[in-house]
């Protein structure tokens, strides 16, 4: 009886786990193997549906033990990985993704939004302190602005569609219902897959265009010591084309963008470059880096739009008010216009 059951299990069941000896099912038996078929198609015997527990020559306990440890069995379908019935790393991955990753992620994103709102309430919009000149100077050319907006546009769609994958089920789904949510998630995923490449290209071009303006210098130290003048009206530490804070944005974009691109490519071409375990780690890294980068970029978007008078023009038509440039980038103004600016004075006015 027991021998009969063992034989029919091996012949009809989903897989045979090849333990140390590497036992495989006979070819005839393998041809009838089905993975994940409907219950009605599962082989049955007098005692009910058969379960894939046993390996010829192994006790039932040993067989289960091997399956629980994630040992790879043999299957006749092309996807050999289906021979692993229980992949324990997958359980750990799921626990981290749905637990600490999602939780800390929501704290980081909620935290930065609260900080920005608080900063706006306390400091208000950072105004141009001195008198406007009515004259402008060019800050970024059309190509630079085009690259910036390609990177920014793709990032925003990637961020929204990515956050939907992480949080949508618990936030959007109850709000908009299953059908709109399914459609949104479907198109969001398509957009995410394609725009990833535009973002990677944008980050590479940003690196090439601006790296020479972003080498750390002693002025950055002064800039950070004075907190960039962000908290005190009329304080303007000297800066070249990019100040210390902008260098942080630049390097976050380049390093974070490269890490997102690398891990993203691993996930978009499953199993081409990485094993399942590696992909699980890449997915966690991808999501964690994305959350941090979204938080940093939210601060960047705030200061580049509502947070500071005159800043948006740099990426709008590329022309900035000369007085804005004197206050925020005094050393750069000296370089490009030849005029002398009194650094560190409270209005960035030109020297006599
Ligand atoms: C979507 C809204 C965004 C707005 C309104 C915005 C605005 C701006 C502005 C006005 C500047 C020029 C600052 C200056 O002249 O000193 C700038 C620069 C820059 N932006 Fe954006 N940006 C946005 C999104 C992004 C995104 C998503 C990224 C990258 C993922 C990004 C990366 C950069 C970098 C690296 C710079 C140069 C360094 C810096 O000025 O901080 N921007 N942005």
């Amino acid at each position: 009886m027991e021998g009969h059951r063992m034989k029919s299990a091996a012949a009809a069941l989903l897989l045979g786990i090849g333990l140390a000896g590497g036992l495989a099912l006979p070819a005839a038996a393998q041809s009838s193997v089905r993975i994940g078929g409907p219950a009605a198609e599962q082989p049955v015997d007098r005692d009910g549906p058969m379960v894939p527990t046993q390996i010829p020559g192994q006790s039932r306990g040993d067989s289960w033990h091997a399956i629980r440890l994630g040992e790879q069995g043999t299957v006749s379908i092309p996807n050999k990985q289906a021979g692993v019935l229980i992949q324990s790393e997958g359980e750990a991955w799921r626990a981290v993704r749905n637990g600490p990753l999602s939780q800390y992620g929501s704290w980081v994103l909620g935290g930065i939004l609260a900080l920005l709102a608080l900063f706006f309430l306390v400091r208000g919009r950072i105004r141009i302190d001195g008198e406007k000149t009515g004259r402008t100077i060019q800050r970024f050319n059309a190509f630079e602005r085009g690259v910036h907006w390609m990177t920014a546009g793709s990032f925003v769609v990637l961020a929204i569609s990515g956050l939907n994958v992480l949080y949508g089920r618990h936030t959007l789904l109850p709000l908009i219902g299953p059908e709109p949510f399914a459609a949104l998630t479907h198109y969001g995923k398509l957009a995410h897959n394609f725009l990833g490449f535009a973002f990677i290209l944008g980050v590479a071009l940003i690196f090439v265009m601006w790296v020479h303006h972003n080498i750390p210098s002693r002025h950055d130290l002064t800039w950070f010591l004075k907190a960039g003048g962000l908290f005190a009206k009329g304080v303007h530490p000297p800066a070249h084309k990019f100040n210390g804070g902008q260098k942080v944005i630049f390097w976050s974009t380049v390093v974070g963008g490269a890490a997102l691109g690398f891990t993203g490519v691993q996930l978009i071409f499953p199993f081409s470059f990485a094993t399942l375990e590696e992909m699980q780690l890449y997915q966690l890294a991808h999501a964690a880096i994305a959350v941090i980068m979204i938080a940093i970029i939210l601060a960047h978007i705030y200061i580049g739009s509502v947070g500071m008078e005159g800043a948006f023009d740099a990426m709008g038509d590329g022309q900035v008010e000369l007085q804005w440039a004197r206050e925020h980038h005094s050393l750069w103004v000296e370089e490009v216009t030849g005029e002398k600016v009194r650094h560190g004075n409270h209005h960035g006015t030109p020297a006599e």
Side-chain angles (χ1 to χ4, degrees):
M1 173 65 195
E2 187 63 21
H4 163 73
R5 184 178 293 171
M6 257 170 28
K7 268 195 203 125
S8 44
L13 283 183
L14 308 177
L15 54 98
I17 300 280
L19 281 179
L23 293 171
L25 295 174
Q30 288 186 33
S31 64
S32 67
V33 165
R34 281 192 57 83
I35 298 290
E41 294 177 25
Q42 301 290 343
V44 283
D45 73 2
R46 268 182 311 179
D47 301 330
M50 305 291 294
V51 285
T53 57
Q54 236 163 324
I55 300 152
Q58 295 285 335
S59 75
R60 185 165 280 201
D62 284 350
S63 305
W64 270 117
H65 192 61
I67 290 170
R68 187 62 193 79
L69 288 180
E71 301 218 13
Q72 173 125 18
T74 51
V75 285
S76 63
I77 59 170
N79 177 13
K80 296 301 169 212
Q81 298 189 24
V84 176
L85 276 188
I86 300 179
Q87 197 248 1
S88 295
E89 294 88 345
E91 294 173 71
W93 165 78
R94 187 171 182 277
V96 175
R97 179 195 183 273
N98 295 351
L101 177 75
S102 302
Q103 254 160 34
Y104 290 132
S106 58
W107 279 105
V108 168
L109 295 174
I112 191 75
L113 288 174
L115 278 179
L116 290 173
L118 185 72
F119 183 73
F120 180 68
L121 287 176
V122 174
R123 178 70 163 92
R125 188 169 209 217
I126 298 172
R127 300 267 170 205
I128 298 177
D129 285 326
E131 211 157 292
K132 291 189 196 155
T133 63
R135 283 160 55 207
T136 58
I137 53 173
Q138 179 160 43
R139 187 143 168 81
F140 297 110
N141 64 31
F143 182 75
E144 289 173 302
R145 283 177 280 136
V147 169
H148 174 267
W149 288 121
M150 176 178 78
T151 317
S154 53
F155 184 86
V156 169
V157 179
L158 288 164
I160 293 172
S161 52
L163 287 176
N164 181 44
V165 170
L166 193 57
Y167 296 115
R169 199 172 162 195
H170 304 289
T171 52
L172 259 192
L173 175 60
L175 277 182
I176 64 175
E179 275 173 22
F181 177 71
L184 201 104
T185 305
H186 172 70
Y187 289 112
K189 176 203 171 280
L190 280 180
H192 201 94
N193 286 358
F194 285 105
L195 288 177
F197 295 101
F199 178 69
I200 291 174
L201 177 65
V203 169
L205 290 171
I206 281 185
F207 176 75
V208 174
M209 290 187 317
W210 294 334
V211 64
H212 63 289
H213 292 304
N214 282 284
I215 311 298
S217 81
R218 67 191 163 88
H219 296 294
D220 302 332
L221 210 62
T222 326
W223 192 91
F224 283 114
L225 288 175
K226 297 192 174 175
L230 288 172
F231 297 94
K233 219 167 168 298
V235 175
H236 298 295
H240 283 283
K241 179 132 184 176
F242 291 126
N243 60 39
Q246 290 178 295
K247 289 180 186 177
V248 170
I249 299 294
F250 173 86
W251 287 111
S252 306
T253 300
V254 168
V255 176
L260 284 179
F262 175 79
T263 49
V265 166
Q266 308 287 327
L267 298 170
I268 214 171
F269 301 112
F271 304 110
S272 300
F273 312 109
T275 63
L276 183 57
E277 290 78 15
E278 286 165 350
M279 279 165 45
Q280 284 157 349
L281 289 176
Y282 286 138
Q283 190 282 330
L284 295 178
H286 191 80
I289 297 165
V291 163
I292 294 169
M293 198 160 156
I294 292 169
I296 295 172
I297 291 296
L298 280 173
H300 168 74
I301 293 176
Y302 169 78
I303 209 78
S305 56
V306 284
M308 179 185 280
E309 181 183 10
F312 187 84
D313 295 333
M315 281 301 170
D317 63 3
Q319 305 288 325
V320 289
E321 161 63 41
L322 179 59
Q323 183 58 23
W324 176 89
R326 286 174 183 154
E327 292 180 8
H328 299 293
H329 301 278
S330 53
L331 296 164
W332 173 69
V333 170
E334 288 188 341
E335 275 166 38
V336 293
T337 67
E339 79 173 28
K340 288 257 14 96
V341 181
R342 265 193 263 154
H343 308 295
N345 83 351
H346 283 193
H347 296 293
T349 47
E352 302 305 320

